[in-house]
Amino acid sequence: MPVLEATKVSRNAYEAALLNFDLAADKLHLEPDVREIIKYPERVLHVSLPVRLSDGHIHRFEGYRVQHSTARGPAKGGIRFHPNVTLDEVKALATWMTWKCAVVNIPFGGGKGGVTCSPKDMSIEEVERLTRRYAASILPLIGPEQDIPAPDVYTNSQTMAWIMDTYSMTKGYPVPGVVTGKPISLGGSLGRNEATGRGVFYTVLAACGQLFIPIKGARVVVQGFGNAGSVAAHLLDSNQAYVIAVSDSRACIYNKNGLDIPKLMLYKDKTGQVLGFPGSTEIQPAELLALECEILIPAALENAIDEENASSIRAKIVAEAANGPVTPEGDTILESKGVFVIPDILCNAGGVTVSYFEWVQDTQHLFWEAQDVYSRLERIMKTSFAEVLKIHLEHKVSMRVAANMLGIGRVAEAVKLRGLYP
Ligand code: NAD
């Protein structure tokens, strides 16, 4: 296993999600009955996945699909393939999806899926068999009007194509709207692949504007140079910021004058790692997080910043491209240091927003130009940032509490209006 792969799992992500729910619900003075309804997952499926490996043996994997809420629309959320996947992690991620969809005000609830596996150590054929088995096992839950998966860590558009195909086989006709993040040729949306990083970029621009930090010359550090992290880095680099350090699961690299991001993206594509990129030096993970910079983007996994290392952070802005990268304990420390945190359910909501656009396009069989996708995304991200900022300033709460207040408030309103639970 690569050296950094085993991220800290000390903080239970689901407990953190519940804790953050309570903080926001208290500020909203939410009625106990409504809390009972919206706090917990509506539906949890735990599946056993026997898959034949290339050596001829059967290996049994465990997978999950959690629908946290369908109060505002079908459940929506990615699928993660990672060795650290647990039911509690998936429950946390599904919970955050509910508040996230409500923050950007798109008509979805929250869901998430995961399989405990190490796709990097598997052949492509093994990953395909596992994906199809998983898709077949969660079939009763998913569908364009029920629950729509998308890519997450170590899954991608190919994974979505296999899920779409497996689902469509059971129907006898193609159903592109069952997943988002598909290849363009199967009904994917232009701009979906870059959407999360692009959304991170828009919120970083908004935060820099608020804090009077010029983007030109700003120093950026990215933990996790994958889909979300590399696109955010690329857009910031294109706007004359300096990306001085990045990492992946194997190593962290640094150049105080800024890394050449387009070349680094090609290098990572070719070699599968950032280590050894010409002109960079290797640093340790703790050093990367503690670098003096304007913008730190955790874009890997949960619990990257906690009570042990939060005091070492020297960034002015922490932009949470990842889900749950700062623990509640880490939050308290960052707040006391005056670090401006763009919380995950706002910062990385660009991905689900363009997933929504993809679903709309699939439903209408009418596809948009890339520029339409970008301008609609920009409008939604900027509006959502402004709405969260307003609550942050008016209620004198952290940006995280403010975002949760916005999302949870909208879900609570939906439940009350539907009168589902008299
Ligand atoms: P990805 O698989 O494309 O990239 C993950 C990256 O993190 C990889 O480069 C991997 O090497 C690196 N990584 C893993 N462990 C690490 C560690 N301990 N230290 C440093 N780097 C490490 O995944 P992604 O889709 O970019 O997802 C990253 C984060 O963004 C996740 O938290 C995910 O939930 C969140 N997110 C993704 C999307 C999306 O649309 N892809 C949307 C919203 C949120």
Side-chain angles (χ1 to χ4, degrees):
M1 184 170 287
V3 61
L4 302 180
E5 195 69 274
T7 41
K8 286 175 272 182
V9 285
S10 49
R11 190 50 157 118
N12 180 302
Y14 186 52
E15 283 170 13
L18 295 181
L19 202 69
N20 281 328
F21 172 88
D22 287 335
L23 286 176
D26 288 349
K27 290 284 175 193
L28 287 166
H29 305 293
L30 208 62
E31 305 88 317
D33 284 356
V34 178
R35 290 187 195 214
E36 276 304 290
I37 296 167
I38 68 172
K39 185 172 176 178
Y40 305 101
E42 283 175 15
R43 200 172 274 134
V44 174
L45 181 64
H46 183 166
V47 293
S48 178
L49 308 168
V51 175
R52 192 171 299 283
L53 301 182
S54 307
D55 66 7
H57 288 95
I58 298 279
H59 184 81
R60 194 182 66 86
F61 297 88
E62 301 216 18
Y64 310 93
R65 185 74 194 170
V66 174
Q67 294 175 348
H68 175 264
S69 173
T70 54
R72 300 177 74 257
K76 184 84 191 82
I79 289 173
R80 179 173 293 192
F81 284 180
H82 192 276
N84 290 351
V85 165
T86 61
L87 177 56
D88 269 1
E89 180 184 56
V90 180
K91 281 161 72 176
L93 291 162
T95 307
W96 291 324
M97 284 306 297
T98 303
W99 317 139
K100 186 185 303 181
C101 292
V103 164
V104 284
N105 216 356
I106 57 176
F108 285 139
K112 202 82 183 189
V115 178
T116 315
C117 64
S118 183
K120 285 185 182 174
D121 301 322
M122 296 164 69
S123 69
I124 184 94
E125 293 79 14
E126 288 171 336
V127 175
E128 177 176 355
R129 285 198 289 275
L130 173 61
T131 304
R132 289 184 181 280
R133 188 80 203 188
Y134 173 68
S137 301
I138 63 166
L139 211 75
L141 295 198
I142 61 173
E145 306 297 334
Q146 284 173 269
D147 181 353
I148 307 132
D152 191 74
V153 175
Y154 299 162
T155 55
N156 54 29
S157 58
Q158 175 62 77
T159 325
M160 296 306 116
W162 289 327
I163 296 177
M164 179 216 154
D165 183 62
T166 308
Y167 183 86
S168 300
M169 280 160 65
T170 68
K171 298 286 173 191
Y173 51 88
V175 189
V178 66
V179 285
T180 58
K182 296 178 294 294
I184 303 295
S185 53
L186 286 176
S189 173
L190 293 172
R192 173 59 185 91
N193 202 34
E194 307 83 34
T196 304
R198 185 169 278 274
V200 171
F201 169 67
Y202 292 139
T203 61
V204 167
L205 287 190
C208 284
Q210 178 64 20
L211 302 178
F212 302 105
I213 297 173
I215 203 74
K216 185 175 175 184
R219 291 160 300 174
V220 180
V221 171
V222 180
Q223 184 207 41
F225 199 68
N227 174 301
S230 67
V231 173
H234 184 45
L235 288 168
L236 287 163
D237 174 73
S238 314
N239 282 269
Q240 297 180 302
Y242 291 107
V243 182
I244 57 170
V246 307
S247 64
D248 61 13
S249 62
R250 292 183 167 88
C252 312
I253 59 166
Y254 172 68
N255 180 336
K256 72 173 175 14
N257 298 318
L259 298 155
D260 184 331
I261 297 300
K263 282 195 180 142
L264 178 58
M265 288 170 99
L266 291 174
Y267 180 85
K268 167 92 181 165
D269 266 356
K270 207 166 122 194
T271 65
Q273 57 179 23
V274 297
L275 186 65
F277 180 61
S280 70
T281 49
E282 187 178 3
I283 57 172
Q284 292 308 303
E287 291 178 78
L288 175 126
L289 289 176
L291 282 170
E292 192 179 340
C293 61
E294 278 65 46
I295 302 149
L296 170 62
I297 306 182
L301 296 166
E302 299 88 69
N303 300 340
I305 300 172
D306 61 9
E307 75 272 25
E308 282 170 23
N309 61 9
S311 54
S312 74
I313 303 294
R314 291 191 287 162
K316 294 192 173 70
I317 296 171
V318 170
E320 294 186 334
N323 286 305
V326 180
T327 65
E329 297 76 17
D331 258 341
T332 309
I333 297 170
L334 292 185
E335 211 179 335
S336 72
K337 286 165 63 83
V339 178
F340 188 91
V341 175
I342 313 173
D344 47 8
I345 60 171
L346 169 65
C347 189
N348 70 35
V352 75
T353 301
V354 178
S355 273
Y356 164 57
F357 297 163
E358 180 174 333
W359 179 78
V360 168
Q361 292 170 75
D362 287 338
T363 309
Q364 299 188 337
H365 310 285
L366 181 66
F367 290 86
W368 308 351
E369 303 290 329
Q371 204 46 53
D372 294 338
V373 172
Y374 298 156
S375 54
R376 282 174 188 267
L377 173 64
E378 184 172 7
R379 201 162 61 231
I380 288 182
M381 296 308 294
K382 282 189 172 163
T383 305
S384 306
F385 184 93
E387 286 176 323
V388 172
L389 186 72
K390 188 162 179 275
I391 298 172
H392 162 69
L393 296 173
E394 281 181 6
H395 291 260
K396 298 189 173 34
V397 293
S398 70
M399 283 290 282
R400 184 176 323 281
V401 172
N404 277 316
M405 286 170 72
L406 182 62
I408 291 167
R410 283 185 173 147
V411 176
E413 187 187 335
V415 164
K416 285 190 226 170
L417 287 171
R418 280 179 68 167
L420 277 176
Y421 309 92

